[in-house]
Amino acid sequence: MTYADCQTWLRHSRPMTTQPRWNDDLFPFPTPPALAELVDIAWEEGFLATDLYEEGLYDATRVQTSFALPFDLCEVPLAPQGWEYCDYGEPFRRHHVPFMSVPELLPFADLGNGTCVGWVVPAPELGRTDHPVASFGHKEPGVIGRNTLDGITFLLSIALRSGEELLIAPVARLSAVLGIRPTAEYGRKPGGGDVEIPLDLAPPPGWRHAPDPSGVGIGVLAPNDAFGDECPSFTGETDTILADAARLLDAGHPASALLGLTAAYHEDAQRLPDLHPLWSRAYDALDRDLLRQRLDVMLEDHQRVY
């Protein structure tokens, strides 16, 4: 046995004496308490209650896909200090922007069918601790909750609608922890279809929310003086759309430029490479570095697919 083998055996032969908590490193802002409770449970079932915990090893996938939750986590906590990753190493961490989505939609739950559930975060610089929740990806975004707790209630209700018996116990446990009562009919209209919940972004004084002129996206939340007095171009020739956006940016109206660029994307997603430079410039003008980073990921994904 080599020295390295001895060190490995010694490290793995003695159990860890403390139970770590996951670090809140999932998102660029503190995880809202309702979701944090669920990550606690996934952490316990996918890590602390496993054989790997006793061996000092960390399997991020077990946490991300914990059977304690009726959905997968879009982000997984990194290994705590003192624990090593399994053979396949540290999980790949990058911004996750679902297909046909936009940077302002930050997913936390993956339903496994191309649809994600996450927050509507149009102005990260406001530093809000909770956000409206929407479903999106492969579909037009639809608001399902006014905050994280409402969104999780809807998620657990979806699990109950599936009729899968294996989900009944996890849903009951999570409901008890959060003090909620999801039902198969929660969020559903009597005649079918989801209840329509208005998107309330609660503009602070001196700000306003302009709806997306395409009728698809979430629009733009920004200070009043970041908007111009006219509706930007978002249909027709791409050169016309870009020229109008550049004119608005030069005039000091990045919110109006952003409104036109995102609407143009919803009209034709293939335009993304052409829209990207001015779209990035609009985020920079509004000091929204997080959203610009997510836009860069969108472009990378687009170029990889097309």
Side-chain angles (χ1 to χ4, degrees), residues 98-99 101 105-107 114-119 134-142:
F99 182 68
S101 183
L105 298 172
L106 275 68
T115 298
C116 290
V117 167
W119 298 292
S135 62
F136 47 88
H138 291 280
K139 55 173 286 186
E140 293 184 7

Side-chain angles (χ1 to χ4, degrees), residues 250-274:
D250 290 342
H253 302 307
S256 291
L258 181 60
L259 198 62
L261 293 165
T262 54
Y265 171 73
H266 288 304
E267 290 287 315
D268 182 1
Q270 297 302 318
R271 289 172 167 158
L272 179 59
D274 295 319

Side-chain angles (χ1 to χ4, degrees), residues 8-250:
T8 299
W9 181 84
L10 286 170
R11 182 172 60 251
H12 291 174
S13 65
R14 62 177 185 270
M16 295 294 180
T17 57
T18 59
Q19 289 196 352
R21 289 181 57 83
W22 59 276
N23 295 316
D24 192 359
D25 58 0
L26 302 180
F27 307 100
F29 43 78
T31 304
L35 181 61
E37 293 274 7
L38 269 60
V39 180
D40 268 335
I41 293 173
W43 177 262
E44 177 183 350
E45 297 293 326
F47 174 45
L48 299 182
T50 68
D51 54 334
L52 293 178
Y53 168 72
E54 295 298 331
E55 297 173 8
L57 293 175
Y58 181 70
D59 185 346
T61 303
R62 292 198 191 186
V63 178
Q64 189 169 21
T65 62
S66 171
F67 290 116
L69 306 182
F71 53 83
D72 290 346
L73 295 171
C74 286
E75 300 290 346
V76 60
L78 296 175
Q81 186 175 3
W83 269 257
E84 295 185 3
Y85 288 95
C86 291
D87 293 339
Y88 39 87
E90 182 175 334
F92 180 58
R93 298 282 292 257
R94 75 194 291 263
H95 291 283
H96 175 42
V97 185
F99 182 68
M100 297 297 292
S101 183
V102 290
E104 288 83 356
L105 298 172
L106 275 68
F108 60 76
D110 188 337
L111 303 189
N113 58 1
T115 298
C116 290
V117 167
W119 298 292
V120 181
V121 189
E125 68 272 23
L126 290 177
R128 290 175 169 172
T129 57
D130 209 343
H131 314 273
V133 175
S135 62
F136 47 88
H138 291 280
K139 55 173 286 186
E140 293 184 7
V143 181
I144 62 172
R146 294 175 176 82
N147 52 44
T148 303
L149 188 61
D150 285 352
I152 291 174
T153 304
F154 191 92
L155 273 171
L156 300 186
S157 299
I158 292 176
L160 292 177
R161 287 178 210 161
S162 70
E164 295 186 31
E165 292 187 9
L166 290 176
L167 297 179
I168 295 177
V171 169
R173 177 186 181 187
L174 300 176
S175 301
V177 168
L178 296 176
I180 56 179
R181 294 186 178 182
T183 67
E185 299 305 316
Y186 179 89
R188 301 285 287 178
K189 295 178 181 178
D194 293 337
V195 173
E196 296 178 4
I197 299 176
L199 177 60
D200 182 6
L201 296 178
W207 287 51
R208 66 184 173 96
H209 171 225
D212 192 300
S214 73
V216 175
I218 64 169
V220 174
L221 177 68
N224 289 331
D225 59 7
F227 291 96
D229 296 328
E230 58 198 290
C231 181
S233 299
F234 65 94
T235 58
E237 296 295 327
T238 301
D239 288 345
T240 301
I241 295 169
L242 296 178
D244 199 37
R247 178 181 60 81
L248 289 166
L249 285 165
D250 290 342

Side-chain angles (χ1 to χ4, degrees), residues 95 97 101-104 258 261-262 265 272 275-283 288-302:
H95 291 283
V97 185
S101 183
V102 290
E104 288 83 356
L258 181 60
L261 293 165
T262 54
Y265 171 73
L272 179 59
L275 302 174
H276 178 270
L278 293 178
W279 199 338
S280 296
R281 184 180 161 193
Y283 282 147
R288 295 177 180 175
D289 183 61
L290 168 65
L291 302 186
R292 184 185 54 74
Q293 292 175 27
R294 293 176 59 76
L295 180 66
D296 291 344
V297 169
M298 281 175 57
L299 181 61
E300 292 171 9
D301 292 342
H302 178 94

